């Protein structure tokens, strides 16, 4: 066997440079009983960052997998946070330790809204797939899926006192759902365009909706008061509905509640509502559009409204009295009508430093309102204002900007010692410490397109969109000099192999050569670095990329005419023309031994050429979109490419093989840089994130890599699968909450395998028993196939139960649904034995009831299963009663203990109070004695 080339795997190490992603909202959280309004949760691509806004530090990272976060919702108790993802998954994390405790998978596309109920026991999620799903957090399972909307769900809210749900969508409808019967009993059609947000006010007696216009529409909700006593009429405000009412169909919608438009509030912004939220007590409303102004409204309490109306009535009476004196006639009693603007008044407007993307607010002690804004330019701002003031003004309390760029990073560079990373965007250049990922320097610059570290790593040079070269000194963080280098965009610059100068290529059709020089600064008198222009190469087309060969003999120039021209460096004479790309070459690199040149183009192909004769060794289809960056790993013939298809790929230029794909970015990858030792890669993307990748010692086997890619494709296709259909159930408004995924299929396969092994082991045990009877003595036991054999050899049925227990609770129903019916009879017999033994009765009953529901027709028509079902009925009822009695006894005992502890605490409390009183008396007596002695 011949020697094979060994490739080492690169893995994701960290995500940095992103403060908050735009796709998901921002939310206040509380960590370990800490101060309210100090910590905020924001999405950072696939992760969730918890920021301490006071210190400007990242205190916790909730690790995601590979899909982008799309929504966040903290639990009412503040201990957990629910996170929705692009693929429709919902995960619940603990804020105490950052671990993922519960996972739900039911949506086919991105989750757009998540909300807890008042107790934090249920979760409602809405998605781009137009479905609404209600989840049971305690049992970790889906309750039901609600269908009816025709477009993306924008909001879903539980009502605290009633088992109702209200949802809004981009289909312009607001729907009310009765969760007892899982049906939509009312659809509000009063909106002309998409409903983007809504909130419940006035103890859930008013609904405020935000649409695509400048109006916030208010709706009064009248709930039907159902009497407990039978025969009594059900009373609604101003109405009585008897059971034998003739117009049942007309009043069917209004049997639970009725909605009537109460008016509207005009916003100052003219565009659509982007987000509309309230604080926890629904006293303050915050809303904004796609601009930089946040509008705040306050909801007055009933007492405040009455005071306001009384003042208005007094004014009206005075006015009427004056009018009566002037006219000499007796005027009618003035009437003041209560309007919406008397109940909801404008508080103030907050002007942010950029366009607002998301907002959250929190009411603190003393009427202080804390507001946090996530801006579109990767910034978090916090404001504070006193709502009790007559004219409240917002004060900016914090601004998080240091940890990221305002715009996407367009150029990256590594220092020669592999320790510092340079990143430059449209307005700033930052230098990062690679090991800690902390910002060392931040400097303002023009729109940067290319960059490099000057030898010695004390200065950096940027090439800008305006054609200038900017030289910065890292020690002081100051701009040393700006050189007007070109008349067009400076697309590329490259350090000369002798490290004495650089070459630049620009859209003005020139390539210029520059030498480093030290000149005396006139202001400080110290020497500083500058650039001296030495030569110019004039070309016929715009220059997109320039590169020196490592031996300084050749210069490769990529032009807008889709060719790459090779020139001799010393004489600038033409040597080779590499043509074959259909679109311009955007990036190129030359190998360390000067033998190969690789070019990446906007035509999505990468071509490998020989530098001896300019022959094309191989053309490879590299990416699904333009190839934006290409670089060889130092001292190898391996190279990396980055594309607009969000992927980074590694290639072998000798064998022309694709080695591995680095996936993680969620937008176009603009550039990457490889450290001089080849151990690290940093890449930047349009999602404003920078990613660090590390080379491991793990070798890559190409066949296994291709197999893993095929498996990933299969899992993605499974994730897009349809919602399972339960036999015999019509597909109406309500449907099962789960979704068939690769995990549920694998779980069903494990259950089938366990049942097969159980059958085989049972048969072997019977054969062994028969052999023992025939032989009249104990025969040697047959070996067991079950793993581990020692634990389950005596009782194979326990192995099946163990496999069922290991299935994730949220996936149990769908896994059983995938199970073929041929396995069900055996499983029912096993479930009967588990209930008889009292093993995991709750889990077994859940499986049993689900199997009976979905296979009812086949089970009831099977004569062989009648005796099993009859036994199950008796055993299940008796065991469930037994468990209920035990739980009732334990509950009563705990309540008794609670009362006993409370009594003891009362006694201790009063004893302490008595002791404190005695101490006070002693102190008073001492003071009196001192006074008497002085007197």
């Amino acid at each position: 066997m011949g020697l094979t080339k060994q490739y080492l795997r690169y893995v994701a190490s960290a995500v940095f440079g992103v403060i908050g992603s735009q796709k998901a909202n921002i939310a206040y959280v509380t960590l370990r009983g800490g101060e309210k309004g100090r910590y905020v949760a924001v999405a950072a691509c696939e992760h969730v960052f918890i920021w301490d806004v006071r210190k400007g530090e990242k205190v916790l990272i909730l690790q995601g997998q590979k899909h982008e976060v799309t929504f966040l919702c903290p639990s009412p108790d503040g201990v957990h946070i629910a996170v929705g993802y692009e693929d429709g998954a919902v995960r619940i994390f603990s804020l105490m330790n950052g671990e993922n405790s519960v996972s739900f998978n039911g949506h086919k596309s991105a989750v757009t809204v998540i909300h807890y109920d008042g107790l934090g026991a249920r979760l409602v999620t809405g998605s781009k797939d137009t479905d609404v799903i209600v989840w049971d957090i305690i049992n970790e399972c889906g309750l039901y899926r609600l269908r009816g909307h025709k477009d993306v769900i924008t909001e879903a809210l539980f009502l605290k006192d009633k088992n109702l749900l209200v949802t809004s969508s981009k289909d312009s409808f607001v729907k009310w759902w009765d969760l007892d019967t899982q049906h939509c009993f009312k659809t509000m059609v009063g909106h002309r365009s998409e409903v983007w947000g809504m909130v419940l006010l006035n103890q859930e007696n008013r609904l405020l909706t935000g649409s695509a216009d400048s109006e916030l529409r208010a709706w009064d909700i009248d709930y039907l008061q159902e009497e407990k006593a039978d025969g009594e009429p059900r009373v609604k405000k101003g109405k009585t509905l008897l059971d034998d009412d003739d117009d049942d169909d007309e009043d069917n919608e209004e049997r639970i509640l009725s909605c009537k438009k109460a008016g509207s509030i005009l916003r100052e912004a003219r565009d659509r509502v982007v987000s509309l939220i309230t604080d926890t007590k629904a006293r303050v409303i915050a809303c904004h559009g796609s601009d930089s102004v946040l509008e705040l409204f306050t909801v007055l309490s009933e007492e405040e409204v009455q005071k306001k109306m009384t003042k208005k009535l007094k004014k009206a009476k005075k006015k009427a009295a004056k009018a009566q004196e002037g006219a000499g006639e007796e005027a009618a009693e003035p009437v003041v009508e209560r309007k919406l603007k008397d109940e909801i008044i404008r508080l103030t407007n907050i002007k942010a430093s950029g366009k607002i993307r998301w907002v959250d607010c929190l009411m603190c002690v003393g009427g202080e309102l804390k507001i946090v804004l996530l801006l579109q330019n990767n910034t978090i701002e916090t404001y504070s204002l006193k709502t009790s003031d007559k004219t409240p003004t917002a004060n900016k309390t914090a601004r998080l900007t240091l940890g990221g760029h305002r715009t996407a990073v367009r150029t990256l560079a590594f220092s020669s010692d592999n320790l510092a990373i340079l990143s430059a965007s449209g307005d700033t250049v930052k230098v990062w410490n690679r090991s800690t990922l902390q910002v060392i320097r931040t400097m303002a610059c023009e729109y940067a397109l290319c960059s490099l570290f000057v030898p010695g790593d004390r200065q950096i040079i940027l090439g800008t969109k305006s054609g200038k070269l900017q030289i910065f000194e890292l020690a002081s963080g100051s701009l040393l000099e700006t050189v007007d280098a070109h008349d067009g965009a400076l697309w590329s610059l490259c350090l000369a192999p002798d490290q004495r100068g650089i070459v630049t290529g620009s859209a003005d059709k020139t390539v210029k050569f520059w030498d480093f020089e030290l000149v005396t600064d006139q202001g400080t008198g110290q020497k500083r670095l500058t650039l001296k222009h030495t030569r110019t190469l004039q070309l016929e087309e715009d220059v997109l990329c320039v590169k020196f060969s490592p031996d300084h003999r050749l210069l490769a120039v990529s032009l807008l005419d889709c060719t790459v021209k090779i020139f001799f460096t010393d004489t600038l004479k033409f040597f080779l023309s590499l043509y074959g790309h259909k679109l311009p070459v955007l990036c190129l690199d030359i190998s360390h031994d000067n033998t190969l040149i690789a070019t990446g183009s906007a035509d999505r192909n990468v071509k490998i050429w020989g530098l001896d004769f300019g022959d094309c060794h191989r053309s490879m289809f590299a990416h699904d979109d333009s190839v934006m960056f290409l670089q060889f790993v130092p001292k190898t013939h391996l190279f990396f490419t980055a594309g607009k298809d969000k992927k980074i790929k590694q290639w072998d230029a000798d064998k022309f093989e694709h080695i591995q794909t680095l996936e993680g970015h969620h937008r176009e990858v603009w550039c990457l840089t490889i450290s001089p030792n080849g151990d690290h890669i940093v890449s930047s993307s349009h999602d404003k994130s920078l990613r660090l990748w590390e080379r491991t010692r793990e070798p890559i086997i190409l066949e296994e890599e291709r197999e893993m890619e095929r498996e990933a494709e299969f899992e993605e296709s499974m994730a897009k699968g349809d919602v399972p259909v339960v036999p015999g159930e019509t597909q109406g408004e309500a449907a099962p909450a789960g979704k068939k995924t690769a995990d549920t299929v694998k779980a069903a396969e494990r259950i089938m395998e366990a049942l097969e092994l159980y059958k085989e082991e049972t048969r072997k045990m019977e054969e062994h028993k028969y052999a023992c009877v025939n032989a009249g003595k104990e025969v040697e036991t047959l070996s067991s196939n079950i793993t581990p054999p020692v634990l389950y050899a005596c009782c194979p049925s326990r192995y099946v139960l163990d496999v069922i227990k290991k299935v994730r609770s949220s996936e149990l129903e769908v896994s059983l649904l995938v199970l073929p019916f041929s396995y069900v009879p055996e499983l029912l017999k096993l479930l009967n034995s588990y209930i008889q033994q009292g093993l995991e009765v709750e889990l077994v009953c859940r499986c049993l009831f689900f199997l009976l529901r979905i296979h009812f027709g086949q089970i009831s028509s099977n004569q062989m299963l009648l005796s099993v079902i009859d036994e199950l009925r008796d055993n299940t009822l008796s065991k469930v009663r037994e468990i209920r009695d035990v739980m009732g006894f334990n509950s009563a005992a705990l309540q008794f203990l609670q009362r006993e502890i409370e009594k003891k605490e009362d006694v201790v409390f009063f004893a302490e109070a008595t002791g404190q009183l005695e101490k006070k008396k002693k102190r008073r007596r001492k003071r009196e004695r001192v006074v008497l002695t002085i007197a």
Side-chain angles (χ1 to χ4, degrees):
M1 182 180 173
L3 288 171
T4 57
K5 202 168 188 176
Q6 190 181 54
Y7 306 111
L8 297 178
R9 187 181 298 281
Y10 283 82
V11 296
S13 173
V15 179
F16 63 106
V18 58
I19 294 171
S21 294
Q22 308 302 301
K23 269 202 171 182
N25 60 318
I26 189 166
Y28 275 113
V29 293
T30 309
L31 287 188
R32 304 176 196 90
E35 182 186 340
K36 278 190 173 183
R38 181 170 176 175
Y39 303 102
V40 294
V42 287
C45 299
E46 69 271 25
H47 306 306
V48 176
F49 288 170
I50 311 294
W51 290 94
D52 182 341
V53 291
R54 182 182 293 175
K55 292 183 179 178
E57 293 176 356
K58 203 184 300 173
V59 292
L60 184 64
I61 299 175
L62 308 179
Q63 296 285 344
Q65 292 175 358
K66 66 175 183 177
H67 293 282
E68 213 170 352
V69 175
T70 55
F71 204 87
L72 306 171
C73 181
S75 61
D77 58 5
V79 178
H80 297 92
I81 184 167
V83 183
Y85 292 88
E86 185 76 34
D87 64 339
V90 177
R91 296 186 185 92
I92 298 175
F93 291 88
S94 167
L95 289 171
M96 309 297 285
N97 51 24
E99 290 180 1
N100 174 19
S101 52
V102 183
S103 295
F104 297 125
N105 214 325
H107 290 292
K108 288 186 280 185
S109 53
V111 176
T112 53
V113 62
I114 302 175
H115 277 293
Y116 281 88
D117 68 351
L119 296 172
R122 289 180 301 173
L123 196 71
V124 61
T125 60
S127 167
K128 283 185 178 178
D129 62 7
T130 75
D131 289 348
V132 176
I133 301 179
V134 180
W135 307 91
D136 185 342
I137 296 171
I138 296 166
N139 286 331
E140 297 181 19
C141 65
L143 295 176
Y144 34 79
R145 180 188 304 267
L146 303 174
R147 291 170 167 156
H149 284 292
K150 299 289 186 287
D151 210 332
V152 178
I153 309 298
T154 55
E155 190 61 282
L157 300 169
F158 282 108
L159 271 70
K160 288 179 184 174
D161 301 327
K162 296 174 176 58
N163 197 21
L164 303 177
L165 180 75
V166 56
T167 60
S168 66
S169 167
K170 281 173 70 176
D171 61 6
S172 79
F173 297 138
V174 174
K175 287 181 178 286
W176 292 84
W177 305 83
D178 184 350
L179 297 183
D180 292 326
T181 57
Q182 294 117 50
H183 83 285
C184 173
F185 65 87
K186 187 172 186 63
T187 301
M188 294 165 58
V189 293
H191 301 87
R192 296 175 185 172
S193 55
E194 301 97 333
V195 181
W196 288 101
M198 62 179 179
V199 289
L200 288 162
L201 308 171
N202 297 1
Q203 284 81 44
E204 300 180 342
N205 287 318
R206 175 163 288 156
L207 184 72
L208 194 69
T209 58
S211 189
D213 51 21
S214 58
E215 281 185 43
L216 295 177
R217 292 170 177 81
W219 310 80
D220 282 335
I221 307 166
D222 287 335
Y223 297 100
L224 195 67
Q225 298 168 0
E226 295 199 16
E227 299 294 335
K228 289 184 182 178
D230 294 333
E232 287 187 25
R234 289 171 293 175
V235 181
K236 192 177 65 183
K237 289 182 184 177
K239 236 181 191 183
T240 304
L241 297 174
L242 299 173
D243 289 337
D244 56 348
D245 200 353
D246 294 332
D247 52 355
D248 276 350
D249 295 334
E250 292 178 13
D251 289 331
N252 191 36
E253 280 190 352
E254 299 190 352
R255 287 198 178 278
I256 299 172
L257 57 83
S258 66
C259 289
K260 183 184 175 185
K261 191 171 180 184
S264 59
I265 306 166
L266 281 175
R267 297 162 49 232
E268 287 184 0
R270 295 294 173 196
D271 55 349
R272 76 170 180 89
V273 169
V274 172
S275 59
L276 175 67
I277 60 144
T278 64
D279 64 315
T280 48
K281 292 183 179 177
R283 290 300 306 275
V284 176
I285 304 164
C287 95
H288 67 88
S290 54
D291 55 5
S292 59
V293 177
L294 177 72
E295 297 180 56
L296 295 175
F297 301 89
T298 184
V299 182
L300 300 179
S301 63
E302 191 60 34
E303 292 175 7
E304 290 169 329
V305 173
Q306 289 299 334
K307 283 180 184 177
K308 197 172 183 183
M309 295 310 293
T310 308
K311 284 181 182 177
K312 271 195 170 186
L313 189 60
K314 280 181 182 177
K315 284 182 182 177
K317 281 181 179 178
K318 283 181 182 178
K319 198 173 180 182
K322 283 181 182 178
Q324 186 181 342
E325 286 173 10
E329 294 177 4
E330 198 170 312
E333 185 73 20
V335 178
V336 179
E337 190 182 348
R338 182 167 166 171
K339 294 181 181 177
L340 185 67
K341 64 182 181 182
D342 298 320
E343 300 175 40
I344 301 173
I345 59 171
R346 186 178 293 276
L347 193 62
T348 186
N349 286 358
I350 295 175
K351 181 86 165 83
S353 62
K355 288 183 178 179
I356 303 170
R357 187 65 190 90
W358 297 100
V359 61
D360 195 22
C361 60
L362 183 71
M363 187 65 79
C364 298
V365 183
E368 184 190 6
L369 182 71
K370 290 186 177 179
I371 297 158
V372 62
L373 303 175
L374 175 62
L375 306 184
Q376 288 186 12
N377 60 1
N378 198 27
T379 305
I380 292 173
E381 288 184 351
T382 59
Y383 293 85
S384 174
L385 60 89
K386 284 274 187 182
T387 53
S388 54
D389 294 349
K390 285 187 178 180
T391 54
T393 54
N395 300 313
K396 189 185 288 187
T397 52
R399 189 165 185 256
L400 301 184
T401 57
L402 191 64
H405 289 271
R406 307 286 71 75
T407 55
V409 171
R410 296 305 299 266
T411 176
L412 292 164
F414 251 110
S415 62
S416 58
D417 58 2
N418 309 291
L419 294 177
I421 303 161
L422 180 154
S423 65
S425 66
D427 55 356
T428 53
V429 55
K430 290 178 182 282
V431 179
W432 309 76
N433 183 321
R434 180 188 55 76
S435 55
T436 63
L437 300 178
Q438 297 296 316
V439 179
I440 303 168
R441 285 283 180 271
T442 300
M443 297 159 282
C445 68
E446 292 188 23
Y447 198 115
L449 295 175
C450 49
S451 61
L452 56 79
F453 277 92
V454 175
D457 298 333
R458 293 183 180 182
Q459 296 90 13
I460 58 172
I461 298 175
L462 299 183
T464 69
K465 203 171 185 178
S466 59
K468 294 174 183 175
L469 284 169
Q470 291 188 312
I471 307 170
F472 292 89
E473 186 178 38
L474 292 183
S476 60
S478 59
L479 175 65
L480 293 179
E481 187 181 2
T482 300
V483 181
D484 291 324
H486 292 273
D487 297 329
L490 204 158
W491 289 112
S492 179
L493 59 84
C494 178
L495 182 68
D498 60 5
Q499 299 193 345
R500 292 181 179 178
I502 61 170
V503 62
T504 59
S506 166
D508 64 359
K509 304 177 183 179
T510 59
V511 173
K512 293 187 179 181
F513 295 80
W514 310 79
D515 284 345
F516 295 131
E517 271 195 356
L518 287 173
V519 295
T520 305
D521 195 305
Q522 293 178 355
T524 59
Q526 296 179 342
K527 288 193 173 183
R528 63 170 178 81
L529 183 78
T530 186
L531 289 168
K532 180 187 176 184
H533 179 222
T534 56
R535 291 185 294 170
T536 301
L537 174 62
Q538 186 68 44
L539 295 158
E540 295 176 357
E541 293 287 342
D542 291 13
V543 177
L544 298 178
C545 191
V546 292
K547 201 77 178 179
F548 277 117
S549 63
D551 61 1
H552 208 176
R553 188 173 72 93
L554 302 173
L555 175 71
V557 182
S558 154
L559 301 176
L560 200 62
D561 62 1
C562 311
T563 64
V564 176
K565 300 280 195 294
I566 313 289
F567 298 91
F568 289 103
T569 308
D570 50 1
T571 61
L572 296 184
K573 283 186 178 179
F574 175 75
F575 175 48
L576 292 170
S577 178
L578 311 179
Y579 55 90
H581 283 290
K582 295 171 186 174
L583 290 171
V585 173
L586 303 177
C587 49
L588 58 88
D589 199 12
I590 299 173
S591 63
H592 70 288
D593 54 4
N594 311 291
T595 57
L596 298 174
I597 178 170
T599 58
S601 166
D603 63 7
R604 304 177 289 179
N605 291 313
V606 166
K607 292 182 187 288
I608 299 166
W609 317 76
L611 263 182
D612 297 334
F613 307 103
D615 55 322
C616 181
H617 290 183
R618 184 65 63 93
S619 178
M620 299 180 290
F621 182 76
H623 291 268
D624 295 329
D625 209 330
S626 302
V627 182
M628 298 303 296
F629 205 85
L630 184 150
Q631 189 176 346
F632 275 99
V633 178
K635 298 178 182 176
T636 68
H637 278 187
L638 308 178
F639 65 91
F640 280 91
T641 59
K644 276 189 176 180
D645 61 353
K646 313 172 191 175
K647 294 175 183 174
I648 298 166
K649 295 184 179 182
Q650 188 184 16
W651 307 83
D652 186 341
D654 292 329
K655 294 189 174 181
F656 316 119
E657 284 185 315
H658 171 215
I659 300 167
Q660 67 171 328
T661 302
L662 305 180
E663 291 187 89
H665 284 294
H666 302 286
R667 297 289 181 281
E668 302 93 331
V669 183
W670 293 124
C671 59
L672 60 85
T673 182
I674 304 174
S675 62
N677 60 8
D679 284 343
H680 298 91
I681 300 171
V682 177
S683 57
S684 79
S685 167
H686 196 62
D687 60 14
K688 296 189 179 70
S689 71
L690 300 173
R691 287 176 186 265
L692 180 66
W693 313 82
E694 287 183 355
R695 183 161 61 186
T696 62
R697 303 294 86 172
E698 180 192 349
I700 292 177
I701 299 163
L702 295 180
E703 291 80 9
E704 287 184 6
E705 198 70 15
R706 299 296 87 80
E707 183 64 31
M708 285 166 62
E709 285 177 10
R710 284 193 290 272
E711 281 181 13
E713 283 177 13
F714 171 72
E715 286 186 12
E716 280 182 17
S717 64
M718 286 293 297
K720 293 173 185 175
D722 294 330
V723 176
V725 178
V726 177
E729 287 194 1
T730 56
Q731 293 301 303
E733 289 178 333
K739 178 180 81 168
K740 183 180 174 182
T741 62
D743 290 336
T744 58
V745 172
K746 286 176 184 174
E749 286 173 354
R750 285 196 297 271
I751 295 170
M752 286 190 278
E753 186 185 355
L755 286 167
E756 291 287 352
L757 285 168
Y758 163 71
K759 285 180 188 175
E760 189 182 340
E761 286 298 310
T762 309
R763 182 180 57 77
K764 283 183 179 178
M765 286 173 76
E766 285 176 359
E767 286 176 0
H768 177 253
K769 192 176 179 183
Y770 183 71
C772 290
V773 169
N774 285 347
K777 61 177 183 177
E778 188 70 24
V779 182
E780 189 181 345
T781 309
L782 298 168
S783 62
S784 175
N785 290 330
I786 298 176
T787 306
V790 178
L791 190 60
Y792 299 110
C794 59
C795 188
S797 62
R798 291 293 294 270
Y799 176 68
V800 181
L801 181 61
D802 200 52
V803 169
I804 294 171
K805 278 166 64 180
K806 285 177 182 175
V807 177
R808 193 180 290 168
S809 180
S810 59
E811 296 172 351
L812 183 61
E813 276 83 1
V814 185
S815 301
L816 291 172
L817 192 59
V818 174
L819 201 69
F821 181 73
S822 57
Y823 291 91
V824 172
E826 197 67 43
L827 187 55
L828 287 174
K829 290 173 186 173
L830 280 172
L831 295 179
N832 187 26
S833 70
Y834 299 148
I835 289 173
Q836 281 179 334
Q837 296 170 54
L839 299 171
E840 302 290 338
V841 176
E842 191 178 339
L843 174 68
V844 170
C845 284
R846 187 176 158 194
C847 296
L848 172 64
F849 298 152
F850 184 76
L851 287 170
L852 290 174
R853 186 158 68 89
I854 62 172
H855 296 298
F856 178 75
Q858 287 170 290
I859 291 171
S860 57
S861 61
N862 192 335
Q863 294 292 325
M864 302 292 288
L865 290 174
L866 282 176
S867 57
V868 178
I869 298 299
D870 202 33
E871 278 183 47
L872 273 168
R873 183 184 60 194
D874 297 336
N875 293 335
T876 306
L877 286 170
S878 62
K879 277 292 173 188
V880 169
R881 282 199 196 101
E882 192 179 311
I883 289 170
R884 189 179 62 190
D885 292 343
V886 170
M887 287 178 69
F889 181 84
N890 289 343
S891 176
L894 287 169
Q895 287 171 8
F896 171 75
L897 288 170
Q898 184 184 359
R899 287 195 297 271
E900 290 293 312
I901 290 165
E902 283 174 356
K903 283 180 186 176
K904 285 179 184 176
E905 281 183 351
D906 287 343
V907 171
V908 170
F909 174 75
F910 287 120
E912 284 178 1
T914 311
Q916 285 172 1
L917 187 66
E918 289 295 327
K919 284 178 184 176
K920 280 183 181 178
K921 283 181 180 177
K922 281 179 183 177
R923 283 195 212 108
R924 196 182 302 140
R925 282 178 199 141
K926 276 184 181 178
R927 279 199 298 269
E928 285 173 358
R929 283 184 201 134
V930 170
V931 170
L932 286 170
T933 51
I934 290 169

